[in-house]
Amino acid sequence: MKRFSIITAIFSVLLLSASAFAQISVSNATPVTENFDGIGTSATAALPANWKMSSAGTGLTANWTTGTNVTATTQAANSGAPTAGGRYNWGTSASDRSIGFMTSGGYASPNSIMSFYRNASGSTINDLTINFQFERYRINTANASVTFFTSTDGTNWTARTAGDIATTEFPTGASTYTFGSPTTVTRSVTLTGVNIPNNGDFYLRWVVNTTGANSQGIGLDEVSVTATLNNPPTLSIDDVSQSEGNAGTTNFIFTVSLSTATHGGVTFNIATADGTATIADNDYANNSLTGQTIPNGSSTYQFTVAVNGDTTVEPDETFFVNVTNVSGATVNDSQGLGTIVNDDVAAATVEFSNSIYFEDESQTAVLTVVRSGDLSGTTTVNYSTQNPAANRGNVSAATGGEACTSGVDFIHQSGTLTFGVEEDFKEIQIQLCGDTVIEQNEAFGVYLSNVTNGTLGSPSTAQVLINDTANEFSNTDPIFIGTGGDSYESSIVVSGIPTNIGGLRVTLFDFNHLTADDIDVLLVGPQGQKFLLMGDAGGDDGLNDAATITFSDNAGRVLPDNSQIFTGIYEPTTWIAGQTSFPAPAPTAPYIEPGSEVGGAVTLASVFGNTNANGTWTLYIRDDNNAFQRVGADGVVAGGWGLQFFAPTAAGVSVGGNVRAGKTPVAGATVMISGGSLSQPQTTKTGSFGNYRFEGLPVGETYIVTVISSRYNFPQSSIVLNVSESVDGADFEAEDR
């Protein structure tokens, strides 16, 4: 019989006791209910304070307005079989009661039961749902029915027919009592738009009608009233971020907030949950609570999590605080994030930013030393350059000296770097010396040692690779390149060399441009020769990263048509024939164009060889995007340019180069050279830096250089070389299989 349930909403009510209401507080999880089980079985038991019963013969409505509570003397408890009419406390045990009537004698029909409430929710009640049931304990031939009313003043009543019970639902029959299994009729009445304001009243009334004497005995039970509020509050929990401390615990206090003060109370469960911070690692202490409440009139609740301090250097860690089973509010944010901010700092560590630095011959190598960890003090570290003990992977050992004289590749450096408070990097600058020797790349080491107020990290040793360039004569001023056909000239005056050269190399230092495909480079010799070194190569992004480009007849490769141009040695290359005239003061077309064939007939030697190179050499660079309006400087040859000349020779020469995949050296690849007057091919392996070299080759012959690797493919696996001088740029680009 006591099995009724209902969906609930937050509200609080006040009830009338004598001439005043007494407060009842309810949470969202429990409606305002009454099952009368608490009144007991005594014949003088009192009704609950906000309930009344009245018979037609004792003043049906007067009691409601005066507040008189009709209770003990006329109310009978009964678990047997009464025969007299009256108001009854029905039931078979003390824990299962109901209140009602059996009309007879002075208790004539109709009889009434009423309850009344006051809205103390703090908000307007929009809707009400009333649930109840009537139980029949005595069967008789007379009829019985129930009509249901509500009111907001206790005087003017509105019929709610959905709560009525018809006579047919209590069939008549032979007089008998059914205490063990009474007939039960339930009702649920929903009232929408009632709009009961805060502190407003509402009343419920059931009128029991019977016919005849010793009528049927029925009782009211399991009454519940549920309110839907106009503006239930929203619930959120905040995030907390704090340092953990080095010892003990730090309290992280999370606040659960409501958008407005509560309407009758909000309940919820709250508990911690692991993130990257875990209970198992002792990062914080578990905390889990159920049935927590924000009471009526309050809008916040605080929840404390104890975070354990330590001195371990680690990343910031997080944990969660979850709010669940919320009753009485809508949820906006149910998860708080706790961030444990690491406040432990590692001792300072000093190391190179890279293990290998690549710089052009005759330029300045800049090595960066970085400091990390605790930067609050001063840290020092010693550095020094050293000649390598031996060649590394076909990279020659560079020779250091006190000045750039013959045979010296770099100037030795040593000293101490001092990092001040909060300083995190320093630079070491090492002058690289130029020479007139065509040679493979060279390397030397730079070493860190003797750190004070810190430790030595890794790498503590760096290798500097020296890129061989043409720098016998140079102009180091930057050459800025604009758009719209602008032509920028840069000159080098050559003197003191033999009047008859065999050939030359040209280097452009640190060349970059937004659109390499628009670039043309014209070299004009002292005898008026007009030779295009470069034209329409590299595509849109070929020089987005600065590259040092050396032009040599024996490079064994040309500049790419539509891909990245990397630092290296290339044959002069033009991809589009018939170039138009450069703007003045450059000489007008036609120009000598080398084309884009590897080992082509038009070379630097064929144009400038066997001529007097003393005099003024001029370089012109233009952007020929056909706009013919200058927009701005779109590129620069930041390190200027250089020249290197060769005398005619019949001596044996060498052929060497580099194998790499992008910027990664390919070690262990097999390289073979054949052709010329060689009786059989020669083979070698690339070293750890991807370099190879063949020595003592007859000059003036044509050779084929081929590369083979089990790991890589090569878009161009063979190079044809017409060797009139030593070659140090027969490079290969590899691709993963």
Side-chain angles (χ1 to χ4, degrees):
M1 187 168 63
K2 306 294 184 181
R3 298 175 182 173
F4 192 79
S5 64
I6 183 172
I7 299 175
T8 62
I10 291 183
F11 73 103
S12 296
V13 296
L14 298 176
L15 57 85
L16 187 64
S17 176
S19 59
F21 285 95
Q23 184 176 5
I24 296 177
S25 297
V26 293
S27 71
N28 189 48
T30 307
V32 177
T33 62
E34 183 58 68
N35 58 17
F36 307 105
D37 292 347
I39 64 177
T41 59
S42 170
T44 59
L47 286 171
N50 63 320
W51 287 84
K52 290 187 177 184
M53 298 175 67
S54 178
S55 67
T58 58
L60 184 61
T61 61
N63 291 331
W64 311 141
T65 57
T66 61
T68 302
N69 189 15
V70 181
T71 54
T73 57
T74 58
Q75 183 176 351
N78 195 292
S79 58
T83 58
R87 287 175 286 177
Y88 280 88
N89 172 8
W90 300 101
T92 57
S93 69
S95 60
D96 186 2
R97 314 304 299 170
S98 65
I99 60 172
F101 303 94
M102 187 163 65
T103 54
S104 177
Y107 288 88
S109 178
N111 296 288
S112 294
I113 304 172
M114 191 182 81
S115 63
F116 42 91
Y117 309 83
R118 174 164 293 167
N119 175 17
S121 67
S123 181
T124 299
I125 295 176
N126 279 358
D127 305 327
L128 286 172
T129 299
I130 304 107
N131 293 274
F132 57 88
Q133 66 186 36
F134 272 88
E135 301 159 353
R136 182 179 65 176
Y137 296 93
R138 181 177 185 271
I139 301 173
N140 194 269
T141 56
N143 293 318
S145 64
V146 177
T147 53
F148 180 56
F149 303 87
T150 66
S151 174
T152 56
D153 58 10
T155 301
N156 299 297
W157 298 90
T158 301
R160 306 294 184 178
T161 57
D164 293 350
I165 300 174
T167 57
T168 55
E169 296 182 78
F170 290 122
T172 59
S175 179
T176 183
Y177 286 92
T178 57
F179 285 104
S181 56
T183 300
T184 299
V185 179
T186 63
R187 288 290 184 269
S188 179
V189 180
T190 298
L191 309 179
T192 60
V194 293
N195 294 325
I196 301 170
N198 186 44
N199 292 323
D201 300 335
F202 57 96
Y203 303 76
L204 309 179
R205 179 180 171 190
W206 296 264
V207 177
V208 180
N209 299 283
T210 58
T211 59
N214 295 323
S215 183
Q216 302 196 47
I218 61 176
L220 174 67
D221 200 1
E222 299 292 351
V223 179
S224 68
V225 180
T226 303
T228 300
L229 301 181
N230 185 28
N231 293 308
T234 58
L235 177 145
S236 300
I237 184 170
D238 65 353
D239 301 328
V240 178
S241 178
Q242 289 182 207
S243 298
E244 61 185 349
N246 293 329
T249 59
T250 298
N251 287 335
F252 281 46
I253 301 175
F254 294 81
T255 301
V256 180
S257 301
L258 299 176
S259 58
T260 59
T262 60
H263 304 295
V266 173
T267 63
F268 51 86
N269 300 338
I270 189 167
T272 54
D274 284 349
T276 55
T278 65
I279 297 171
D281 287 342
N282 201 35
D283 294 317
Y284 70 97
N286 181 45
N287 193 3
S288 178
L289 300 172
T290 60
Q292 300 304 289
T293 301
I294 300 178
N296 185 39
S298 298
S299 59
T300 59
Y301 165 94
Q302 290 187 327
F303 179 74
T304 301
V305 180
V307 172
N308 298 314
D310 59 39
T311 57
T312 303
V313 180
E314 56 193 347
D316 293 349
E317 297 178 304
T318 59
F319 64 91
F320 304 101
V321 174
N322 295 317
V323 181
T324 58
N325 296 331
V326 177
S327 175
T330 58
V331 177
N332 178 50
D333 181 1
S334 63
Q335 186 174 76
L337 177 67
T339 301
I340 304 173
V341 179
N342 175 57
D343 55 3
D344 303 304
V345 181
T349 300
V350 179
E351 61 196 25
F352 284 110
S353 61
N354 291 290
S355 60
I356 297 177
Y357 295 86
F358 190 74
E359 189 52 81
D360 300 323
E361 186 180 66
S362 78
Q363 306 294 300
T364 299
V366 179
L367 288 69
T368 302
V369 180
V370 295
R371 181 176 67 150
S372 58
D374 186 359
L375 307 183
S376 61
T378 299
T379 300
T380 65
V381 62
N382 295 341
Y383 68 92
S384 63
T385 56
Q386 295 184 25
N387 296 336
N391 292 0
R392 297 173 57 88
N394 287 342
V395 176
S396 298
T399 301
E402 300 305 315
C404 285
T405 58
S406 177
V408 175
D409 298 305
F410 68 96
I411 297 178
H412 273 304
Q413 294 277 345
S414 63
T416 300
L417 300 177
T418 300
F419 293 85
V421 174
E422 301 303 321
E423 283 191 310
D424 58 1
F425 78 95
K426 290 288 185 180
E427 291 182 345
I428 302 171
Q429 296 188 0
I430 303 171
Q431 178 63 51
L432 307 182
C433 302
D435 57 38
T436 60
V437 180
I438 299 176
E439 56 195 350
Q440 64 189 52
N441 290 345
E442 299 170 303
F444 64 93
V446 185
Y447 300 85
L448 300 178
S449 62
N450 299 329
V451 179
T452 64
N453 193 28
T455 60
L456 199 60
S458 179
S460 61
T461 300
Q463 290 290 320
V464 179
L465 297 182
I466 304 174
N467 176 43
D468 186 40
T469 63
N471 58 81
E472 183 180 7
F473 298 90
S474 62
N475 183 337
T476 60
D477 292 336
I479 306 170
F480 295 99
I481 308 156
T483 60
D486 287 329
S487 175
Y488 287 82
E489 61 180 316
S490 178
S491 296
I492 297 175
V493 177
V494 174
S495 63
I497 64 171
T499 58
N500 184 31
I501 63 170
L504 73 155
R505 298 197 303 172
V506 183
T507 297
L508 306 181
F509 292 93
D510 298 323
F511 189 5
N512 76 292
H513 192 274
L514 293 178
T515 311
D517 197 46
D518 292 341
I519 292 298
D520 298 323
V521 180
L522 174 65
L523 177 65
V524 178
Q527 310 305 321
Q529 306 98 318
K530 299 178 290 185
F531 184 71
L532 283 173
L533 292 173
M534 173 180 176
D536 304 294
D540 288 342
D541 57 357
L543 285 171
N544 281 6
D545 293 326
T548 293
I549 304 171
T550 296
F551 295 99
S552 172
D553 290 340
N554 296 316
R557 63 175 177 173
V558 296
L559 293 168
D561 181 24
N562 194 27
S563 61
Q564 184 77 33
I565 299 175
F566 295 102
T567 292
I569 302 176
Y570 301 88
E571 295 180 17
T573 309
T574 54
W575 283 97
I576 298 177
Q579 291 292 327
T580 60
S581 294
F582 279 54
T588 59
Y591 305 122
I592 301 172
E593 301 180 10
S596 56
E597 180 181 352
V598 176
V602 180
T603 65
L604 287 164
S606 70
V607 174
F608 299 100
N610 299 315
T611 66
N612 185 356
N614 291 285
T616 300
W617 293 74
T618 306
L619 195 72
Y620 299 90
I621 305 179
R622 73 174 178 185
D623 182 319
D624 66 351
N625 69 348
N626 297 321
F628 299 109
Q629 289 182 351
R630 183 173 181 181
V631 177
D634 289 339
V636 63
V637 184
W641 64 297
L643 293 168
Q644 182 178 3
F645 300 99
F646 315 119
T649 179
V653 294
S654 63
V655 172
N658 181 266
V659 181
R660 62 179 57 238
K663 295 184 178 180
T664 302
V666 176
T670 299
V671 184
M672 178 177 66
I673 188 168
S674 60
S677 59
L678 295 175
S679 60
Q680 61 182 13
Q682 297 180 19
T683 61
T684 187
K685 295 281 189 180
T686 57
S688 59
F689 289 98
N691 294 309
Y692 73 91
R693 179 166 295 281
F694 298 99
E695 301 284 356
L697 299 171
V699 71
E701 297 186 2
T702 300
Y703 297 94
I704 301 173
V705 182
T706 303
V707 64
I708 302 171
S709 173
S710 60
R711 179 179 175 185
Y712 294 94
N713 289 325
F714 296 90
Q716 181 182 347
S717 60
S718 296
I719 299 173
V720 178
L721 298 175
N722 298 314
V723 178
S724 60
E725 60 190 46
S726 291
V727 175
D728 191 34
D731 299 341
F732 293 92
E733 290 290 337
E735 296 178 347
D736 289 329
R737 287 186 182 274

